[in-house]
Amino acid sequence: MTHAERPTKKEMILTIARELSVPRFTPAEVEQIRRQLIARLGASGKTSSDYVAGVLETAGMRIVWSTKADTQGQYEEEFQDLLHFATLEDAEMCIVRLDELYRKFQEDEELAAVERVFEVARMGRRRAEMIARNHKVEPEKRAEKEEIMQWFKVWLDTPTHFSTGLKCANLRRTSRSVLPGAHPRMLKRYA
């Protein structure tokens, strides 16, 4: 393949953006595009989130760069290090904390902060999804991340149905029914 036949970085960004099929691009989607660019193009795909957002904006796509600006960074300490989940237990605590923040901000009618909770949860789901789909990662770790991705999806789809005292055993039961083909070691862990 000659250089002329390869799509440009901008074209790749727009292709990935269309594949996401979302009505707007938040930092979570921009980060996913940036990571996909690296996955597809290797080192030549490295770029900043600002560059990706600029390409999307120039193409007329709706960018909601950050609800962080809407909250004046007021709650950012609440979100620091929240998405570091190496194990199922870490992911469980992450979702429990997101649920707590969601309920707190809902009760206080802090709508921008509620949107920030969703933004962070979407980013968590996408991070887990990227690892789950990476064939260079061990199958057991991929299965674990697939399950975590499903947990985030369930929470994002039905945040109002989770109780404040959420026990992730409910998530585990849900993910088992959603993921009948989950890795046997993972299912045995929750039997």
Side-chain angles (χ1 to χ4, degrees), residues 28-162:
E29 286 82 18
V30 170
E31 178 66 13
Q32 184 176 15
I33 291 169
R34 194 184 69 73
R35 289 175 185 243
Q36 281 289 324
L37 203 58
I38 294 168
R40 294 180 188 191
L41 299 177
S44 67
K46 288 184 180 177
T47 190
S48 71
S49 296
D50 289 331
Y51 179 79
V52 172
V55 170
L56 297 174
E57 198 166 33
T58 301
M61 297 183 177
R62 185 168 173 228
I63 305 290
V64 179
W65 187 232
S66 179
T67 55
K68 183 193 279 190
D70 295 342
T71 61
Q72 291 88 35
Q74 190 175 4
Y75 303 108
E76 284 313 297
E77 68 279 356
E78 302 276 6
F79 299 106
Q80 279 186 331
D81 300 322
L82 189 61
L83 291 181
H84 294 281
F85 47 85
T87 66
L88 289 171
E89 291 76 19
D90 292 344
E92 177 178 321
M93 292 313 300
C94 175
I95 294 172
V96 167
R97 183 66 183 135
L98 284 170
D99 190 61
E100 289 170 354
L101 290 170
Y102 167 76
R103 291 179 187 291
K104 173 187 171 208
F105 296 142
Q106 277 283 86
E107 185 176 308
D108 296 344
E109 297 181 2
E110 295 279 350
L111 300 182
V114 168
E115 182 57 32
R116 182 79 175 121
V117 171
F118 283 115
E119 184 179 295
V120 170
R122 284 189 295 269
M123 189 178 297
R125 185 194 67 204
R126 285 190 178 90
R127 285 183 184 175
E129 180 179 19
M130 288 185 74
I131 295 170
R133 306 251 186 274
N134 185 343
H135 296 288
K136 295 177 183 175
V137 176
E138 297 173 9
E140 286 184 14
K141 185 56 94 174
R142 286 187 9 230
E144 186 175 90
K145 296 301 180 181
E146 178 77 25
E147 184 166 351
I148 291 169
M149 179 187 72
Q150 291 299 326
W151 292 0
F152 275 106
K153 182 181 180 332
V154 168
W155 187 86
L156 282 162
D157 289 346
T158 58
T160 57
H161 293 106
F162 280 74

